[in-house]
Amino acid sequence: VYVTGKSQGSGTGFNIVTIKYDSSGVKKWASVFNGGVSGNGGYDLIVDVFGNVYVVGLANSGVVIKYNPLGVILWNTGLYGFFGQNEIFIAKNNNDDHIIVTGGNSYYDYYNLEELNPSNGNSIFHYNWDTNNSRKGIPNALTLDGLGNIYVTSTTTQQTSSEPHTLATTKFLYPGTGTGPYNSNNFLTVNSPRTISGLDTKIDNNGNLYILAKLWTGVNWAFFIKKYDPSSLGWIITTGSSVGNDTIPASLSLSNNLN
């Protein structure tokens, strides 16, 4: 069991702390990373088949830290453009073992996508949402399919602040091992006259994409799930519910039988 987050240091503000426990709950090691500023914190982590741990967090800007199975730091690398206190997400592409990171910039309302070499933390590919699109966006979920394609679900607005938030999922096509950067494709949007925010994204074994979101009805918050079939390029189902005054979802998961 691995946990990452932030811990108050003595005279150092918050630090990124990562802890490993065994199956009985006994602590095996704990590592503290101080990026030199008070706003440090771990946000997400993954573990590879060799037991190496990759932690993504904030230390002034975004940072990825790689630990070996004993908790020794092998490398850390800064992430360009990852500022503010928004969440950062990390995943691994099983096709080439590259590390994928996405995170927002709360000051300017855009997000970045970064592909890193797991051996040394060097950047392979960088994508900036604000530079490449007319919409602003803050990411809420990151997932990959079995082919290595990346899906980022975000909450976006147009450039004018008076327009409502919308849901957007961008698919970044896997170019193949060593063949160059990802290309963005299949920009899916769910527009609404009222605020709608994407929250989570999952992909089943058949390649169907499920997106969890919340919607302001004008009276209260409700939730809905969108299922997207990549073969027909169309939305299949929409389901929503509101219990009481507000129903605000947080997470989406799929069982093995897709129920």
Side-chain angles (χ1 to χ4, degrees), residues 6-230:
K6 62 183 179 180
S7 176
Q8 181 74 52
S10 177
T12 61
F14 284 101
N15 301 313
I16 298 175
V17 59
T18 304
I19 308 171
K20 176 182 178 180
Y21 299 93
D22 66 16
S23 58
S24 299
V26 177
K27 184 170 70 175
K28 305 300 292 184
W29 54 259
S31 178
V32 175
F33 180 86
N34 179 14
V37 295
S38 60
N40 297 334
Y43 280 78
D44 198 8
L45 62 80
I46 55 173
V47 182
D48 66 21
V49 295
F50 304 106
N52 299 305
V53 183
Y54 302 83
V55 173
V56 65
L58 288 174
N60 187 30
S61 62
V63 63
V64 176
I65 311 162
K66 181 179 180 180
Y67 299 90
N68 71 9
L70 299 178
V72 177
I73 295 178
L74 299 179
W75 53 256
N76 68 85
T77 186
L79 299 171
Y80 173 76
F82 289 70
F83 298 107
Q85 296 301 315
N86 289 298
E87 290 186 285
I88 305 178
F89 305 92
I90 189 168
K92 184 173 72 70
N93 189 337
N94 291 326
N95 291 270
D96 54 20
D97 291 328
H98 290 172
I99 304 302
I100 309 298
V101 182
T102 188
N105 185 317
S106 64
Y107 303 125
Y108 301 107
D109 288 338
Y110 67 78
Y111 75 77
N112 297 277
L113 183 72
E114 192 87 28
E115 180 185 12
L116 302 176
N117 186 322
S119 299
N120 51 29
N122 289 344
S123 177
I124 299 171
F125 165 66
H126 179 87
Y127 182 92
N128 180 280
W129 177 270
D130 191 57
T131 299
N132 293 279
N133 293 277
S134 61
R135 295 172 180 264
K136 301 179 180 180
I138 294 298
N140 301 107
L142 167 68
T143 191
L144 282 77
D145 63 22
L147 300 177
N149 301 310
I150 302 170
Y151 300 80
V152 178
T153 291
S154 62
T155 299
T156 75
T157 65
Q158 297 285 355
Q159 294 291 349
T160 58
S161 60
S162 62
E163 296 186 355
H165 295 287
T166 60
L167 179 154
T169 296
T170 303
K171 178 180 180 180
F172 296 87
L173 300 176
Y174 179 59
T177 304
T179 59
Y182 285 81
N183 295 309
S184 62
N185 191 20
N186 290 28
F187 174 52
L188 315 175
T189 60
V190 179
N191 295 307
S192 170
R194 304 186 188 278
T195 292
I196 183 173
S197 301
L199 297 175
D200 201 358
T201 302
K202 295 292 187 294
I203 297 177
D204 66 24
N205 294 333
N206 297 319
N208 297 307
L209 183 70
Y210 299 79
I211 300 174
L212 177 68
K214 67 177 181 178
L215 169 68
W216 177 248
T217 67
V219 178
N220 55 20
W221 286 102
F223 80 89
F224 71 88
I225 301 170
K226 286 284 189 178
K227 179 181 179 182
Y228 181 74
D229 179 3

